Amino acid sequence: MDFDDVAAGYAQEVDRAVAFSGQAQGFYLDIKARQIEEAIRERLGEPSAVRALEVGCGPGLMQLRLRQRIGRLWGMDLSLGCLAQASQVGQASAQAGARAAAAAGARARAKAGDRHGLVAGDGRQAPFAGGSFDLVFAVCVLHHVPPGGRRDALVGEMARLARPGGLVAIWEHNPWNPLTRHAVARCSFDRDATLLSLAEARRLLRRAGLSRIESRYGLFFPWRGHGWRRVERLLAQVPLGAQFAALGSKP
């Protein structure tokens, strides 16, 4: 799949694919953004002190949600079309932030504007030095990578980019959830996707040399509310959630 061909209509296509759930894509992105922030607090500390890289950032929808939560946030993608969309999203967000922060003065605005960046790059050979990031993460990217050596190469590169003690994290669709499979089947740019299990994601992390591997299922219910989130935490090891997260630390 050439994501340059779908970059402009990416969000609308995903909204169409998940419409049967009663929620738009933003609902699921909001929950994953909160999970990423929680993982940072649990394993790394204060998010504002973290330097992070999103591998396969696409049109920047997760970047938009995390930009004000993480101290330094970079996005990387192969698709120039998606990066152009992400840049437009970032500019709109920066303009809104600048208006809100006008009273803080030019110095504060300049500092805030230097907190993030986008770069074109292959996740298997990124244009960053090893150990550059506290957190390297990929959200629903690996199912677009053919099984086998290419997946190992991608996760291995994510591990290279993390500093010692840093975190590598993967969020993916759960192939055991029938509604997830239905949503994937409805999405035009997921037609060549090969879903991976949580067990495979954990193996990928182990083969990349990561330790302290943790995992959890999530997105059991398409409803907002703290009560539903508490129930989901209780169900985190039940393999029926729509998606899962797998995380490992670099020794």
Side-chain angles (χ1 to χ4, degrees), residues 152 155 197-209 213 246:
D152 277 296
V155 179
S197 68
L198 175 55
E200 180 182 350
R202 291 178 62 95
R203 286 195 294 269
L204 287 166
L205 293 172
R206 281 197 297 271
R207 288 200 294 266
I213 295 172

Side-chain angles (χ1 to χ4, degrees), residues 114-134:
D114 193 37
R115 293 174 55 212
H116 56 84
L118 299 168
V119 63
D122 187 337
R124 292 172 294 164
Q125 193 172 6
F128 296 101
S132 293
F133 299 96
D134 304 297

Side-chain angles (χ1 to χ4, degrees), residues 182-201:
H182 179 60
V184 169
R186 286 167 55 91
C187 187
S188 63
F189 49 77
D190 275 340
R191 286 173 185 162
D192 61 350
T194 302
L195 299 185
L196 62 155
S197 68
L198 175 55
E200 180 182 350

Side-chain angles (χ1 to χ4, degrees), residues 73-105:
L73 178 64
W74 285 79
M76 181 175 68
D77 204 281
L78 266 177
S79 168
L80 297 180
C82 282
L83 289 174
Q85 293 291 318
S87 179
Q88 292 176 15
V89 168
Q91 288 171 7
S93 174
Q95 289 169 3
R99 288 193 296 269

Side-chain angles (χ1 to χ4, degrees), residues 203-217:
R203 286 195 294 269
L204 287 166
L205 293 172
R206 281 197 297 271
R207 288 200 294 266
L210 300 166
S211 62
R212 294 181 59 207
I213 295 172
E214 297 178 2
S215 56
R216 66 202 67 157
Y217 292 93

Side-chain angles (χ1 to χ4, degrees), residues 13-197:
E13 175 64 10
V14 177
D15 283 344
R16 186 195 66 78
V18 301
F20 70 90
S21 72
Q23 297 285 357
Q25 180 189 19
F27 168 80
Y28 302 101
L29 290 171
D30 289 344
I31 289 177
K32 285 195 284 287
R34 186 162 55 246
Q35 291 174 344
I36 290 169
E37 185 177 10
E38 290 172 355
I40 291 172
R41 292 187 184 280
E42 291 171 3
R43 302 283 288 263
L44 297 173
E46 177 55 43
S48 63
V50 164
R51 182 179 174 89
L53 171 69
E54 180 183 8
V55 175
C57 66
L61 301 178
M62 188 59 71
Q63 294 276 307
L64 176 63
R65 286 164 170 79
L66 293 175
R67 194 166 286 142
Q68 300 305 317
R69 307 185 191 197
I70 294 177
R72 294 275 296 173
L73 178 64
W74 285 79
M76 181 175 68
D77 204 281
L78 266 177
S79 168
L80 297 180
C82 282
L83 289 174
Q85 293 291 318
S87 179
Q88 292 176 15
V89 168
Q91 288 171 7
S93 174
Q95 289 169 3
R99 288 193 296 269
R107 181 179 176 186
R109 288 198 300 274
K111 184 178 180 181
D114 193 37
R115 293 174 55 212
H116 56 84
L118 299 168
V119 63
D122 187 337
R124 292 172 294 164
Q125 193 172 6
F128 296 101
S132 293
F133 299 96
D134 304 297
L135 167 67
V136 184
F137 67 99
V139 178
C140 295
V141 170
L142 277 167
H143 66 272
H144 292 294
V145 179
R150 293 181 65 181
R151 285 183 178 174
D152 277 296
L154 175 58
V155 179
E157 181 69 351
M158 293 172 69
R160 182 187 73 84
L161 295 170
R163 64 163 172 80
L167 186 65
V168 174
I170 297 167
W171 274 260
E172 267 298 339
H173 299 308
N174 178 16
W176 303 116
N177 184 299
L179 295 180
T180 293
R181 298 190 73 91
H182 179 60
V184 169
R186 286 167 55 91
C187 187
S188 63
F189 49 77
D190 275 340
R191 286 173 185 162
D192 61 350
T194 302
L195 299 185
L196 62 155
S197 68

